[in-house]
Amino acid sequence: MQVRRAAVLSLLLFTVLGSPLAQGVAAAASPCPNLTLLLDTSGSMLENPAGPVGVMDPTPSKRKCNIAIAALSKLVSQYDGVLPIGLSLFPSDGMCGSAKLNISPALFTGQSINSLLSSSAPTSFVPDTPTSASISSLAGMAPLKDPARGQYILLLTDGRPECANGSENVTKTVAALQAATRATPPIKTFVVGFGMLDATSQAAMNQMADAGGVPSGDPTYHYYQAGDAASLDAADRKSTRLNSSH
């Protein structure tokens, strides 16, 4: 089941990228868009995607972080040399540090990204998720200010923004995402929510997806949802249909 979850999450990620980025790739008159992967490595990613909340799964391969890493690695391998891809991990300090641009988006970064991903799983159950600070940090980075390219962030996270010091909340994250879309050039963010999200987190993720500028189009889940086995199967079917149309 965990292998299937990783495979289906990969298909979901291909779907997320399929339309806007494929259009960028196909546009012969302009360079390919940059894609920066922004991966949540907070302690809650040590949980099993099906729960329970607040409990580290004793089997590493069943943890959200490892499933996400496998899916992103597959995504990177698929697009390496086709799109300029970068990677950013957050929090950057194991607490509430904003993301750094660990690997700048460029062609043929796959080996470096997959090497870093392989060691990016959290090692402690620190729940801090500095999403707004991380979006703002990336939006200020020079590689994401290249006016010759479209700029996209793919945010993969398992819950709403929060930090023990009170510096993070949904309102700040929505504002950061909206500010990024108004930057020059605009930076749009795909929001992928992974795991079993409660109603409050789902509402937060919907707001974030709308603010990021590339929502899923689903009336219930504005973000790209990858949760339990049933929703992953649904994502599988959706991905197969959408990918076959491109």
Side-chain angles (χ1 to χ4, degrees):
M1 178 60 73
Q2 300 307 320
V3 172
R4 176 168 174 75
R5 280 180 172 158
V8 175
L9 181 55
S10 295
L11 285 170
L12 175 62
L13 294 174
F14 294 150
T15 300
V16 169
L17 297 177
S19 180
L21 289 185
Q23 291 171 13
V25 170
S30 60
C32 298
N34 282 340
L35 172 65
T36 301
L37 307 175
L38 179 57
L39 175 61
D40 177 358
T41 59
S42 61
S44 59
M45 291 290 281
L46 293 168
E47 300 166 353
N48 188 296
V53 174
V55 177
M56 181 191 303
D57 194 293
T59 305
S61 64
K62 295 181 179 180
R63 297 170 185 165
K64 285 182 280 188
C65 55
N66 294 83
I67 297 169
I69 287 167
L72 288 176
S73 294
K74 185 173 182 180
L75 176 78
V76 168
S77 297
Q78 175 76 15
Y79 283 97
D80 192 30
V82 177
L83 290 174
I85 304 175
L87 176 65
S88 181
L89 307 173
F90 77 110
S92 60
D93 59 0
M95 294 182 289
C96 205
S98 62
K100 300 176 181 178
L101 190 55
N102 301 91
I103 297 174
S104 295
L107 293 173
F108 301 107
T109 54
Q111 184 175 353
S112 297
I113 289 176
N114 286 336
S115 177
L116 182 55
L117 281 173
S118 68
S119 61
S120 66
T123 57
S124 63
F125 218 90
V126 177
D128 290 342
T129 310
T131 314
S132 74
S134 296
I135 293 292
S136 296
S137 176
L138 288 183
M141 299 287 182
L144 278 72
K145 292 180 174 293
D146 181 357
R149 297 183 183 276
Q151 302 289 343
Y152 290 89
I153 295 171
L154 193 154
L155 167 64
L156 198 160
T157 183
D158 69 340
R160 60 185 181 273
E162 60 181 353
C163 279
N165 62 12
S167 64
E168 283 286 334
N169 57 50
V170 177
T171 300
K172 287 183 177 180
T173 302
V174 166
L177 288 162
Q178 290 174 334
T181 66
R182 295 192 296 266
T184 304
I187 304 170
K188 297 184 178 182
T189 302
F190 299 100
V191 178
V192 179
F194 186 37
M196 298 292 290
L197 303 182
D198 59 27
T200 301
S201 293
Q202 289 179 16
M205 298 289 277
N206 279 346
Q207 293 179 59
M208 290 161 56
D210 291 337
V214 275
S216 69
D218 185 287
T220 302
Y221 301 106
H222 302 188
Y223 59 97
Y224 294 84
Q225 185 201 31
D228 59 14
S231 63
L232 285 169
D233 283 341
D236 189 358
R237 292 192 295 272
K238 178 181 179 182
S239 299
T240 301
R241 289 198 303 270
L242 291 179
N243 278 292
S244 65
S245 68
H246 295 304

